Amino acid sequence: MKKIITALCLSASFSPAAFASSPDFPHIEVSGKGEILVVPDMAQFSVDVVENKATAAKAKQAADKAVTGFLARLEVQGVKRENINSGNIRLTPEYRYPKGKKPELVGYKAIRNITVTVMDLNKLNGYLDKALGDGINRINQIELKTSKEKEYIEAARLEAIKDANEKANSLAKGFGTAVKGVWKVSYHNNYSQPVLMKSMRMDAASGASESYQDTQMVISDSVSVVYRLKN
């Protein structure tokens, strides 16, 4: 785990007139940010099952069959059912539009999206290979994640607090004073940036496995603090 401290733009104010809501004592306002670079150890990917048939019933049956086959292949690979979300089916009519004539119904399209959470990144490529089957010919998205996200967010938060304290003490010292204490803390939402791999054809999935190993994701957090200064 590699730590990076990135400074945000900050503002310092020693005058109570600087902001309408500023406290009536000497103070300084600082923003701190902490970032953690993490190597992903899990992933999530989604595929679409698409079937075109003459009737809605046949399209649904074909889509359900493809989904059942895919789930069976994943089960053999050791994927737990709770890590699979097969979603609801969407049925839409398909029309042909002859020039100068009314639209003609030519059949129905059934679409089901399946999302799979991969707890072991080393097994991702094997799951992608097993995704290939009737009705499935494309992976929509691969999202690389970490199983220790909460732990890394906490680490990034502590780095953000440390960053704010260091900048406040440095600025106060530079102006010939010192920090007396904390008056106000504004916490910003933490930010986890998963790595999104572009969609790909199934026959190209096997060539992508090498790109997972050296990938890094960023987890960051930030905080704004108003410090009281010594008179």
Side-chain angles (χ1 to χ4, degrees):
M1 179 176 71
K2 180 180 179 182
K3 295 181 180 179
I4 294 180
I5 302 301
T6 304
L8 292 175
C9 61
L10 54 89
S11 61
S13 172
F14 294 88
S15 170
F19 299 99
S21 59
S22 296
D24 58 354
F25 51 79
H27 63 280
I28 186 172
E29 182 177 358
V30 172
S31 293
K33 183 177 181 181
E35 289 187 347
I36 305 295
L37 288 182
V38 178
V39 177
D41 61 358
M42 60 182 293
Q44 190 175 76
F45 71 91
S46 65
V47 300
D48 275 342
V49 174
V50 181
E51 292 287 351
N52 292 279
K53 299 296 179 181
T55 67
K58 289 182 178 180
K60 180 181 182 303
Q61 290 173 359
D64 290 343
K65 181 180 178 180
V67 170
T68 300
F70 180 42
L71 297 184
R73 294 193 295 275
L74 290 176
E75 184 177 355
V76 171
Q77 290 282 98
V79 181
K80 295 181 179 180
R81 188 63 183 86
E82 57 262 32
N83 292 328
I84 304 173
N85 184 356
S86 57
N88 296 321
I89 192 168
R90 289 182 290 137
L91 287 170
T92 58
E94 297 284 289
Y95 291 94
R96 183 172 58 194
Y97 298 89
K99 186 175 181 180
K101 297 182 180 180
K102 293 183 179 180
E104 299 175 358
L105 179 65
V106 295
Y108 289 83
K109 177 186 289 186
I111 302 176
R112 285 187 66 176
N113 178 265
I114 305 173
T115 301
V116 181
T117 299
V118 181
M119 305 306 296
D120 184 353
L121 189 58
N122 293 323
K123 297 181 179 180
L124 174 59
N125 209 55
Y127 296 157
L128 297 180
D129 289 339
K130 290 297 181 181
L132 182 60
D134 294 339
I136 304 176
N137 58 13
R138 186 174 180 83
I139 296 173
N140 295 325
Q141 177 177 285
I142 302 173
E143 185 176 329
L144 304 185
K145 298 183 176 183
T146 174
S147 59
K148 299 180 180 180
E149 183 178 47
K150 290 183 179 180
E151 176 183 330
Y152 292 136
I153 289 175
E154 176 66 18
R157 183 180 302 121
L158 293 176
E159 292 295 342
I161 294 171
K162 179 182 177 181
D163 184 39
N165 286 334
E166 289 178 349
K167 286 190 288 189
N169 286 316
S170 175
L171 285 167
K173 182 179 179 180
F175 285 100
T177 184
V179 172
K180 185 177 181 180
V182 174
W183 179 75
K184 180 181 179 181
V185 176
S186 298
Y187 178 65
H188 307 290
N189 293 332
N190 59 71
Y191 178 63
S192 175
Q193 181 180 345
V195 179
L196 299 179
M197 313 295 289
K198 65 181 180 180
S199 60
M200 63 184 69
R201 292 288 178 185
M202 293 304 304
D203 55 9
S206 59
S209 59
E210 295 81 3
S211 64
Y212 309 145
Q213 306 306 319
D214 298 325
T215 303
Q216 290 183 319
M217 58 185 293
V218 178
I219 295 179
S220 64
D221 212 349
S222 59
V223 63
S224 293
V225 186
V226 177
Y227 294 87
R228 182 190 292 268
L229 298 175
K230 293 183 178 179
N231 294 327

